Amino acid sequence: MEITSAAFVTSLANYGPFPGIGLPQIAIAGRSNVGKSSLINSLCRVKGLAKTSGTPGKTRLINVFLLNDSLHLIDLPGYGYAKVDKQEKRIWGERMDTYFNTSQTLKAVIQLVDIRHEPSADDLQMVAFLRQKGIPLLLVATKADKISRAARQRHLLPISRTLQVQPFDIVPYSSTTGEGRAALLARLDDFL
Ligand code: GTP
Ligand code: MG
């Protein structure tokens, strides 16, 4: 697919009815600061569409975007942010549960991990949760520009091993260079 139009629809604390609901959805999950909002902006080629920040924990709400007047992209709140207390973690869990139990048109989750690091316990838990729910997932390794081309496989292997996917099933992605954008868009077609 190619993205010809992208617009912000709404922010939701708790997932529920919003204008245009019912279209197919693709959601984006990952740790705080992994690059979810940046990926949305680079994918849609609209600067500032999703708010990004150097400070983790920016996206606490569920942000909904409309692509090509026919698809909703869902920016989910990040997890694994250190400065979050038990109460906030519980709220996060409840919001995610509500989303995954309520959305009837979710086609796939784009799961983001930082290409430089081995997946965290939270990443593993998230992936296990999606698999248990039978939700198709597409793994994207973000911030690929931060490592050399030669080091790609060395970084992808432990990620693929930990998350039990084939290394070639992980899309290396950079929001700054645009690397991986075409590959990701092509993969999205498989889910829609
Ligand atoms: P939360 O909303 O807190 O969950 O974070 P997020 O996952 O939406 O991360 P965000 O897109 O806000 O990016 C976090 C930081 O990483 C920002 O400083 C971005 O500029 C930076 N960043 C994101 N993607 C890339 C990338 O591909 N390359 C580089 N070099 N930096 C990136
Ligand atoms: Mg964000």
Side-chain angles (χ1 to χ4, degrees):
M1 66 183 273
E2 191 40 82
I3 297 170
T4 51
S5 70
F8 171 77
V9 177
T10 189
S11 287
L12 304 163
N14 294 296
Y15 188 75
F18 61 86
I21 194 168
L23 293 173
Q25 297 182 353
I26 299 280
I28 302 188
R31 296 187 72 159
S32 276
N33 217 41
V34 72
K36 297 177 294 298
S37 301
S38 302
L39 180 137
I40 290 175
N41 294 337
S42 60
L43 206 60
C44 299
R45 290 186 167 144
V46 181
K47 274 191 191 139
L49 181 65
K51 287 192 182 65
T52 64
S53 167
T55 320
K58 181 78 191 164
T59 317
R60 304 251 174 143
L61 301 170
I62 293 173
N63 290 310
V64 182
F65 303 89
L66 176 66
L67 308 189
N68 296 352
D69 295 319
S70 60
L71 166 72
H72 283 130
L73 198 61
I74 313 286
D75 189 8
L76 294 170
Y79 51 78
Y81 174 42
K83 283 188 196 157
V84 161
D85 60 23
K86 267 194 181 155
Q87 164 84 347
E88 281 182 85
K89 275 188 189 159
R90 188 181 54 77
I91 293 171
W92 178 89
E94 285 170 4
R95 284 179 179 172
M96 294 291 265
D97 266 344
T98 307
Y99 174 68
F100 288 109
N101 291 331
T102 315
S103 170
Q104 295 179 344
T105 54
L106 177 63
K107 299 296 175 197
V109 169
I110 305 177
Q111 173 68 42
L112 270 51
V113 292
D114 189 316
I115 198 164
R116 298 168 296 174
H117 310 301
E118 285 216 27
S120 66
D122 289 325
D123 291 327
L124 271 165
Q125 213 181 332
M126 186 73 215
V127 167
F129 172 83
L130 295 171
R131 287 202 172 117
Q132 180 223 322
K133 288 241 171 224
I135 299 166
L137 77 119
L138 175 56
L139 270 170
V140 168
T142 61
K143 310 194 184 184
D145 56 282
K146 298 243 190 193
I147 57 161
S148 71
R149 289 254 167 197
R152 290 292 151 82
Q153 286 312 310
R154 185 160 54 77
H155 282 85
L156 290 177
L157 271 173
I159 296 173
S160 68
R161 213 177 295 130
T162 316
L163 297 178
Q164 294 179 310
V165 293
Q166 297 296 335
F168 52 78
D169 279 334
I170 304 174
V171 180
Y173 194 94
S174 168
S175 295
T176 38
T177 66
E179 178 188 348
R181 183 179 180 276
L184 179 54
L185 287 173
R187 297 278 190 105
L188 287 182
D189 283 330
D190 301 339
F191 297 111
L192 295 167

